[in-house]
Amino acid sequence: MSTRRRQRLVLTGSITGAVIVALDGTVLTVAQPALQRDLHASFGQVQWTSTGYLIAVASLLVFAGRLGDRYGHQQLFALGILGFGATSAGIGLAPGVGWVIGLRVAQGIFGALLQPATLGMLRATYPPDRLGMPLALRTSAIGLAAAAGPVLGGALVAHWGWRAVFFLNVVPACLIGGLAWAVRGAALAPAPAPAPVTAPATTAMTSKAVTVNTARPTTAGTTATTATRGARTADGLDLPGACLLALALVSLVHTLVALPETGWTVVTALGGAVAALACGAFIRHERRTASPLVPLSVVGSATIASALAVLLSASAALFGTLFVSTYFLQDVLGMDPLESGLRVLPLAVLMVLSAPASAVLQRRFGPRRTTVTAMTLLTLGVFLLSQLDRTSTAPAIGAGFLLLGAGFGTVMVTATAVIVRHVSTAHAGVAGGLQQTAMNIGPTLGVATATMLVTLTTPTTGDHTPGGPHWTAEAFLSAMGPTLLTLAAVAAIGALAAAMLPRSTVEGD
């Protein structure tokens, strides 16, 4: 298979996998009320259809990336997307909410296998200096899916019921997964980790070995492939480290999800303590083990740590702001869900448009200046929204969301490109897992922070209907400004972290 054809195939699979995951999250939000009514479920049970998935994904992303580094990203991608489609079909046929929750957890496991592989495949296929545009196309597709998800989900639920949204991704998942599985050996032969002295000879031998293996699968080809993979997978899987990291992330996510509704209780405090202890034990274990789950070259890199901090702060600021803005548009301005969705539409449009533009900007001005500027735009967008009140006009609201979309779309491309580019192919899966973990923890942290701040600064009414606190419009408006200013400060911290990124896309700069 030619290099160009292989790249197109991998890019198509990466984009499709990312879009399926993005669509799943957005359409589920629209379908949850109908699901609750049809299955006679409680509000808590419906929340667990999202929480169970999130916990499963967040706890396994890094380990799944390590599995991809060891056994091949396309194999993990094929397994993940096929399993994701199968569990989606199972949820659509589920007889009760218990089945839905259990299958959502299983879907989260397959989603964890799928997501890092979408980045690992790109890193293994494209040269580091040409990753910008594939990542930009992937980000644009995610933004488009996020924008289309609520509209598409609403139409499906209105005409065919909540089960239809889970059947939505079954066919594309099976088609792409089947194709990826069928060509997994030839379409994506992972490149070996570069050796400092013998790189040219190793590359030539590896290329020759892969060609032989693709043309005729003989014993010699198998040996060559094994040798190639061995260059990438000398380390073990570090199961103790994976368990410690999973425990830390499960405890952290569960605590963040529970805090806005229950506040600091014995359970949430215990969850926070377990997360901190497990994190400390994980760091201590990683320093001592011979085969760490997260190699020192990855976690010890100031560049990668800065990029992860940027993604964490950007996603926390964005999703926390969206959470608060939704209440403002619907409870303060009195808009219906469709009207409020149209007000937020500029964010999705600019996210789609800014992603490919950011690849060009990054190459011309470098990751540091591009990302600092993008984080500044994001900060200004949050600040502008914090100044809104009952008299705010549509252009003022739209301007805030335009800045959010332009900033976040650019940040996703530039920070992700820095992470993927500055690791060897041998650790691309771990880097992808860390990136996806930041993108899962960040929104949870942002929404939890926003909810707690609004709850602490806004008097609630006597209505304690399940579904969260209820505020009067005036009381909420008084708390919205300080809450969004805090989230703007979170984005500003991300801008400071972006100042530590490389000045140019050239290695070593």
Side-chain angles (χ1 to χ4, degrees), residues 78-148:
L79 178 61
I81 197 168
L82 288 172
F84 199 93
T87 50
S88 294
I91 295 170
L93 299 171
V97 69
W99 280 96
V100 173
I101 294 173
L103 286 168
R104 281 287 288 172
V105 172
Q107 191 176 47
I109 295 173
F110 287 112
L113 297 178
L114 164 64
Q115 292 182 54
T118 62
L119 291 175
M121 291 191 303
L122 293 179
R123 176 64 180 90
T125 305
Y126 287 86
D129 60 343
R130 298 190 61 186
L131 276 169
M133 192 53 68
L135 291 174
L137 293 174
R138 179 179 178 273
T139 301
S140 292
I142 292 173
L144 187 60

Side-chain angles (χ1 to χ4, degrees), residues 334-347:
M335 297 181 181
D336 61 33
L338 178 59
E339 289 176 318
S340 63
L342 292 176
R343 286 287 190 272
V344 181
L345 192 59
L347 185 153

Side-chain angles (χ1 to χ4, degrees), residues 69-395:
D69 290 334
R70 185 176 180 88
Y71 298 110
H73 298 295
Q74 189 151 347
Q75 284 88 329
L76 266 292
F77 173 80
L79 178 61
I81 197 168
L82 288 172
F84 199 93
T87 50
S88 294
I91 295 170
L93 299 171
V97 69
W99 280 96
V100 173
I101 294 173
L103 286 168
R104 281 287 288 172
V105 172
Q107 191 176 47
I109 295 173
F110 287 112
L113 297 178
L114 164 64
Q115 292 182 54
T118 62
L119 291 175
M121 291 191 303
L122 293 179
R123 176 64 180 90
T125 305
Y126 287 86
D129 60 343
R130 298 190 61 186
L131 276 169
M133 192 53 68
L135 291 174
L137 293 174
R138 179 179 178 273
T139 301
S140 292
I142 292 173
L144 187 60
V151 178
L152 182 59
L156 289 173
V157 172
H159 289 86
W160 292 289
W162 65 269
R163 297 180 187 273
V165 303
F166 291 101
F167 291 123
L168 176 65
N169 56 34
V170 173
V171 173
C174 291
L175 288 177
I176 294 296
L179 179 61
W181 189 264
V183 299
R184 66 190 185 281
L188 185 62
V197 178
T198 60
T202 303
T203 304
M205 291 175 63
T206 302
S207 176
K208 186 175 181 180
V210 171
T211 303
V212 171
N213 187 39
T214 304
R216 50 186 181 89
T218 61
T219 304
T222 304
T223 304
T225 304
T226 304
T228 299
R229 186 173 294 168
R232 303 167 55 250
T233 60
D235 296 340
L237 288 177
D238 187 19
L239 293 178
C243 292
L244 287 171
L245 181 60
L247 178 61
L249 291 173
V250 165
S251 302
L252 175 62
V253 171
H254 187 271
T255 301
L256 290 175
V257 171
L259 267 176
E261 185 173 353
T262 65
W264 283 107
T265 64
V266 175
V267 175
T268 53
L270 182 61
V274 171
L277 290 174
C279 182
F282 172 74
I283 294 173
R284 185 170 181 268
H285 170 80
E286 292 296 286
R287 288 177 174 175
R288 295 187 173 191
T289 185
S291 303
L293 175 67
V294 183
L296 183 62
S297 61
V298 177
V299 73
S301 168
T303 297
I304 295 176
S306 300
L308 289 172
V310 168
L311 289 173
L312 186 69
S313 61
S315 57
L318 175 71
F319 284 89
T321 300
L322 285 176
F323 174 81
V324 175
S325 299
T326 300
Y327 273 94
F328 168 74
L329 294 173
Q330 296 188 20
D331 289 0
V332 177
L333 298 187
M335 297 181 181
D336 61 33
L338 178 59
E339 289 176 318
S340 63
L342 292 176
R343 286 287 190 272
V344 181
L345 192 59
L347 185 153
V349 172
L350 260 291
M351 185 173 167
V352 172
L353 296 178
S354 65
S358 64
V360 179
L361 293 173
Q362 182 179 196
R363 182 168 295 185
R364 181 172 182 180
F365 298 107
R368 180 184 299 176
R369 281 193 288 179
T370 303
T371 310
V372 168
T373 302
M375 289 301 299
T376 302
L377 292 177
L378 183 62
T379 303
L380 289 175
V382 180
F383 176 79
L384 185 59
L385 292 174
S386 73
Q387 305 304 304
L388 299 178
D389 55 28
R390 286 183 177 274
T391 64
S392 297
T393 61

